[in-house]
Amino acid sequence: MSAAKENFRLDIRARETAHGGVQPPDPIVELSETECWEYLAHARFGRLGVYANDEVDVIPINIVAQDGKLYFRTAPGTKLDKMLDSGTAAIEIDSVQGGLAYSVVARGPGRILTDDDEIARVNRLPLAPWIPTRKRTYIEVTPVKVTGRHFQLGHEPDEPAPHLKPSD
């Protein structure tokens, strides 16, 4: 089992308090940067968030992480133009399984790969479109900030009964 998943399992268990009581697990646990990269290393699908022309856009992409960078392929058009206009991107991955979920966001500058050796190296990675379209433009995003959280899913807790004052 991966370290991030094992750590999460340890973090969400109920813990015994110093007085012998039981503390319920925290439903939200911040991930370390290392744990975030572990999830990114296994991701093959994400969402690209870009801001350009006073508008935010979120676009589904196929991704792969390698050596502290994220890669995706695209065709010329909106997502590429918006990313290049702003010079930076946010890539988000998430998963929900059973009663657990996680979300990781990596933010940083992106660039088009033009060097044939770089393209050949990325072409050997498990990066392929899911739909039968030509995506010949290779993009590299170098995250400068990576954050993430684990969630224990469940129902919203009941509101405590409001304290009633005795009537005068």
Side-chain angles (χ1 to χ4, degrees):
M1 175 175 294
S2 72
K5 289 180 184 176
E6 181 62 26
N7 287 342
F8 178 56
R9 286 206 168 145
L10 294 174
D11 287 340
I12 65 168
R13 292 183 188 146
R15 294 178 290 281
E16 189 173 330
T17 67
H19 303 291
V22 176
Q23 177 184 350
D26 189 349
I28 302 171
V29 176
E30 296 292 324
L31 296 172
S32 69
E33 187 171 342
T34 300
E35 290 169 321
C36 290
W37 276 106
E38 186 169 328
Y39 281 110
L40 287 165
H42 292 94
R44 294 297 171 259
F45 176 78
R47 289 164 196 84
L48 172 69
V50 292
Y51 177 80
N53 303 322
D54 294 326
E55 165 177 296
V56 175
D57 208 354
V58 178
I59 304 132
I61 56 173
N62 297 96
I63 65 167
V64 68
Q66 181 79 29
D67 300 327
K69 298 178 188 289
L70 299 170
Y71 298 95
F72 66 94
R73 292 169 43 185
T74 189
T78 303
K79 68 182 144 191
L80 178 60
D81 294 344
K82 286 188 175 191
M83 190 199 69
L84 295 175
D85 284 349
S86 70
T88 191
I91 295 177
E92 186 265 349
I93 64 165
D94 56 33
S95 177
V96 176
Q97 292 183 349
L100 306 176
Y102 69 84
S103 178
V104 173
V105 179
R107 299 165 185 86
R111 71 180 182 100
I112 297 175
L113 298 181
T114 57
D115 179 77
D116 289 340
D117 290 337
E118 285 182 313
I119 292 169
R121 181 180 53 78
V122 173
N123 230 3
R124 289 190 293 273
L125 300 174
L127 180 62
W130 286 359
I131 57 174
T133 59
R134 290 193 170 280
K135 298 187 189 254
R136 301 286 187 220
T137 303
Y138 292 76
I139 306 297
E140 174 188 88
V141 175
T142 305
V144 294
K145 183 176 183 182
V146 180
T147 59
R149 299 185 292 174
H150 269 291
F151 308 97
Q152 181 176 8
L153 306 178
H155 299 287
E156 181 179 27
D158 292 334
E159 290 283 332
H163 181 68
L164 301 175
K165 294 182 180 180
S167 59
D168 291 320

